[in-house]
Amino acid sequence: MSHLFYGFRERVKRMGSVGISLVEAFDEEALLALAEAESEGFALPFLMGDPDKIERAIESSGARLQNPVIVEAQGPLESARAGTRLVREGTCRILMKGKIGTGSLMKAVLDREEGLRTGRILSHVACLEVPGYDRFIFVTDGGVVLRPDLPKKAEIVSNAIDVARLMGVETPRVAVLAPSEVPNPDSEASVHAVELARMSREGRFPGAFVEGPMALDAAVSPEAASIKGMTGQVPGRADVLVAPDVVSGNSIAKSMQYFARAVMGGVIVGAAAPVVVISRADTAQVKLNSIAMARALI
Amino acid sequence: MSHLFYGFRERVKRMGSVGISLVEAFDEEALLALAEAESEGFALPFLMGDPDKIERAIESSGARLQNPVIVEAQGPLESARAGTRLVREGTCRILMKGKIGTGSLMKAVLDREEGLRTGRILSHVACLEVPGYDRFIFVTDGGVVLRPDLPKKAEIVSNAIDVARLMGVETPRVAVLAPSEVPNPDSEASVHAVELARMSREGRFPGAFVEGPMALDAAVSPEAASIKGMTGQVPGRADVLVAPDVVSGNSIAKSMQYFARAVMGGVIVGAAAPVVVISRADTAQVKLNSIAMARALI
């Protein structure tokens, strides 16, 4: 059913294992996903947190971890710090959220002294395999930046281009979404789209096409793009959809999951290492795909 | 394939015909949709515009209109005024966009002296039949209000509740979308959702349940709502999705159309009469469903 992600994970398996630092590791769902990634051969689990709680969670979850390294840390703050340190020092290459608030985890990631800052913006990139589509569709940012201004949106676009390329899209075609194709000075989404398209023409996003404004139909449907008389590299065949803000990005990706039965993976990029933040409502497959994405991005 | 809309249109047929005023009526697609609605027995076409251009468009489109009334009007301004006047005077009950910019049409609708203002906000309500769902899902506002403030959003919610009810949903369940279920003072979508839910508890939306903030998964997926531990009338079984702004509303509805192969209808409500604004890229079925929705709302 999920051919694209299946093929992708086969490729990730051949990349070999890297350490993944799971913060507050007594999260049964995260442990199960990590055990699966370990058994598929692309993850070595490092578990931060209270060892007793971790042992109990492993037992009650039934996660079959082969070689887990348990790193004692008491409380979310210490656990997040320990996980971040393992990544900074190179023992681990991926940071993953366990039973800790996303905010607390990101605070450790963004710490100016001991975090994983790179100077780039952090943003979420979702990758969706939609039944009937023969390519991945990426949606950004549905997870981190509430309402990006233009410079932030340009960085969000760059992050997404990187992810799409590392997942096999040679020349990512990026659609900046807006309510319509006609530039509208009253719509921030539209204004940003005009500017991002201009930046693209001026070489800001090498090896990619960034165009807009366009509505979602013109971005992904060749018929709609044709009826609307659109030209360019992106209309009708966008790989990446850039949402104007986090709630629209989140809603578009979830609409694809819940209405179109799309299979998803997602990762936060822009820090010194990929960060995997999975939601309680995500399926096991989403969690595994997300870890695989993080592995491919290293 | 489209059982819900089919059953709905059967019901609309029994309501009988009303006059529909098509502004700048030399739009082949609009003429075809109107001819179909006439033949299904719920529309009487009134065609505003240059009679020669209208005749030519009828001929080249092949639209088989039975009893069209042609009202001569030269230019979009005069045509929009004529169409609006027919509605204000009661000859027609629905206004429809032909080959005229949406902005020009809405200007005539919103004219303080001769328009169709009611004091309510005008907003777009999309109605979607998603394969695998046994009920309509409504999305608002993906068409008119760029970025509503809280009072406007409350009116948008009321408009959508009216539409859902007139289309057969007895007690509409309304989800106000946000990036997550945890209220976040930094997210306008989240703040509005908290307030709208409070208004609902205080009786502002009688005969409906308005709840939020919630992400789209919690709104429409019983599994996701359950995993997230949500209670209330709306989680997992929302009828109406309230988007934070026009671009997200537009994108969610289009995502359902283009990724989930949903069938859609849409109408602008809040004026003295429903306004049908169809997009070039819409299919004939979308256009017919939209006219049927307008008919049902009278």
Side-chain angles (χ1 to χ4, degrees):
Chain A
M1 158 146 185
S2 161
H3 302 289
L4 297 175
F5 265 117
Y6 181 81
F8 170 69
R9 286 214 313 274
E10 288 300 309
R11 191 156 64 79
V12 171
K13 284 179 193 176
R14 292 195 294 272
M15 294 177 177
S17 286
V18 297
I20 301 194
S21 152
L22 179 62
V23 174
E24 293 289 76
F26 35 91
D27 177 306
E28 298 188 6
E29 293 289 312
L31 286 166
L32 284 165
L34 205 46
E36 181 72 20
E38 184 188 32
S39 81
E40 289 207 354
F42 53 85
L44 298 172
F46 287 74
L47 311 178
M48 318 290 116
D50 180 299
D52 288 346
K53 286 166 93 171
I54 294 174
E55 293 289 1
R56 279 200 303 273
I58 292 173
E59 203 172 300
S60 68
S61 70
R64 297 182 176 215
L65 292 154
Q66 292 154 43
N67 291 300
V69 179
I70 295 183
V71 178
E72 180 169 358
Q74 295 299 338
L77 188 66
E78 203 179 298
S79 195
R81 275 194 193 143
T84 307
R85 190 180 316 122
L86 281 188
V87 172
R88 213 176 46 248
E89 294 171 357
T91 309
C92 290
R93 307 288 301 276
I94 294 167
L95 189 65
M96 183 169 171
K97 175 189 154 175
K99 231 174 182 56
I100 180 174
T102 305
S104 306
L105 181 67
M106 295 315 280
K107 209 174 154 189
V109 171
L110 294 173
D111 186 277
R112 290 192 184 274
E113 298 291 319
E114 304 190 330
L116 302 172
R117 281 180 180 266
T118 59
R120 290 169 68 191
I121 200 174
L122 269 66
S123 61
H124 186 267
V125 183
C127 174
L128 293 115
E129 175 170 3
V130 189
Y133 280 71
D134 61 353
R135 65 186 193 279
F136 284 128
I137 306 276
F138 299 84
V139 177
T140 193
D141 163 20
V144 180
V145 191
L146 281 177
R147 193 143 183 265
D149 58 16
L150 181 61
K152 281 183 181 154
K153 210 171 273 183
E155 289 198 64
I156 285 171
V157 168
S158 292
N159 282 352
I161 289 169
D162 289 349
V163 173
R165 198 174 284 132
L166 287 166
M167 287 186 71
V169 184
E170 277 187 33
T171 310
R173 298 169 195 274
V174 181
V176 187
L177 298 181
S180 91
E181 292 70 37
V182 184
N184 176 354
D186 294 331
S187 159
E188 187 179 77
S190 178
V191 171
H192 285 178
V194 168
E195 288 302 309
L196 291 166
R198 186 184 56 73
M199 289 178 192
S200 181
R201 289 192 302 275
E202 291 172 358
R204 167 79 166 78
F205 308 107
F209 297 104
V210 180
E211 297 174 5
M214 66 186 91
L216 192 137
D217 55 345
V220 300
S221 160
E223 294 75 24
S226 160
I227 291 169
K228 288 181 168 182
M230 298 183 72
T231 57
Q233 295 293 330
V234 178
R237 45 181 176 158
D239 302 298
V240 180
L241 304 176
V242 180
D245 55 25
V246 82
V247 64
S248 52
N250 190 284
S251 298
I252 294 166
K254 285 189 166 139
S255 167
M256 292 161 79
Q257 281 185 276
Y258 287 91
F259 293 123
R261 320 232 175 279
V263 176
M264 197 187 101
V267 67
I268 294 172
V269 292
V275 181
V276 177
V277 171
I278 54 184
S279 155
R280 287 166 297 166
D282 283 337
T283 62
Q285 197 174 23
V286 171
K287 291 163 185 170
L288 186 60
N289 289 341
S290 301
I291 298 173
M293 279 178 73
R295 173 65 190 93
L297 302 186
I298 292 169
Chain B
M1 157 147 185
S2 161
H3 302 289
L4 296 175
F5 265 118
Y6 181 81
F8 170 68
R9 286 214 311 277
E10 288 299 308
R11 192 157 63 79
V12 170
K13 284 180 193 175
R14 293 196 293 273
M15 295 176 176
S17 287
V18 298
I20 301 194
S21 155
L22 179 61
V23 174
E24 293 290 77
F26 35 91
D27 178 304
E28 299 188 7
E29 293 289 312
L31 286 166
L32 283 165
L34 205 45
E36 182 73 18
E38 185 188 30
S39 80
E40 289 208 355
F42 52 85
L44 298 171
F46 288 73
L47 311 178
M48 319 290 115
D50 180 299
D52 287 348
K53 287 166 92 171
I54 293 173
E55 293 289 0
R56 280 200 302 274
I58 292 173
E59 202 172 301
S60 68
S61 70
R64 298 182 175 213
L65 292 153
Q66 291 154 44
N67 291 298
V69 178
I70 296 184
V71 178
E72 182 169 356
Q74 295 298 338
L77 187 66
E78 202 179 297
S79 196
R81 273 193 194 145
T84 307
R85 191 181 315 120
L86 282 189
V87 172
R88 212 175 46 248
E89 295 171 356
T91 309
C92 290
R93 307 288 301 276
I94 294 168
L95 189 67
M96 183 169 170
K97 175 188 156 175
K99 232 176 180 53
I100 181 174
T102 305
S104 306
L105 181 67
M106 296 315 280
K107 209 174 154 187
V109 171
L110 293 172
D111 186 276
R112 290 194 183 272
E113 298 292 319
E114 303 188 334
L116 302 173
R117 280 179 181 267
T118 59
R120 290 169 66 191
I121 201 174
L122 268 68
S123 59
H124 186 268
V125 183
C127 173
L128 293 116
E129 175 169 2
V130 189
Y133 279 72
D134 62 353
R135 65 184 193 279
F136 285 128
I137 306 278
F138 299 84
V139 177
T140 193
D141 164 20
V144 180
V145 191
L146 282 177
R147 193 142 182 266
D149 58 15
L150 180 62
K152 281 183 181 155
K153 210 170 273 181
E155 290 197 64
I156 285 171
V157 169
S158 292
N159 282 351
I161 290 169
D162 288 351
V163 172
R165 199 173 285 133
L166 287 165
M167 288 186 71
V169 184
E170 277 186 33
T171 309
R173 298 169 195 274
V174 181
V176 186
L177 298 180
S180 91
E181 292 70 38
V182 184
N184 177 352
D186 293 332
S187 159
E188 189 181 74
S190 177
V191 171
H192 284 178
V194 168
E195 287 302 309
L196 291 166
R198 185 184 55 75
M199 288 179 194
S200 180
R201 289 193 302 275
E202 291 172 359
R204 167 80 167 75
F205 308 107
F209 297 105
V210 179
E211 297 175 4
M214 66 187 92
L216 194 136
D217 55 344
V220 300
S221 160
E223 294 73 24
S226 159
I227 290 168
K228 288 182 170 183
M230 297 184 71
T231 56
Q233 294 294 329
V234 177
R237 47 181 175 155
D239 302 296
V240 180
L241 304 175
V242 180
D245 55 25
V246 80
V247 64
S248 51
N250 191 284
S251 299
I252 295 167
K254 284 186 166 141
S255 166
M256 292 161 79
Q257 280 186 277
Y258 287 91
F259 292 123
R261 318 232 177 278
V263 176
M264 198 187 100
V267 67
I268 295 173
V269 292
V275 180
V276 177
V277 172
I278 55 186
S279 154
R280 288 166 298 166
D282 283 336
T283 63
Q285 197 174 22
V286 170
K287 290 164 184 169
L288 187 60
N289 289 340
S290 300
I291 299 173
M293 278 178 73
R295 172 65 189 92
L297 301 187
I298 293 168

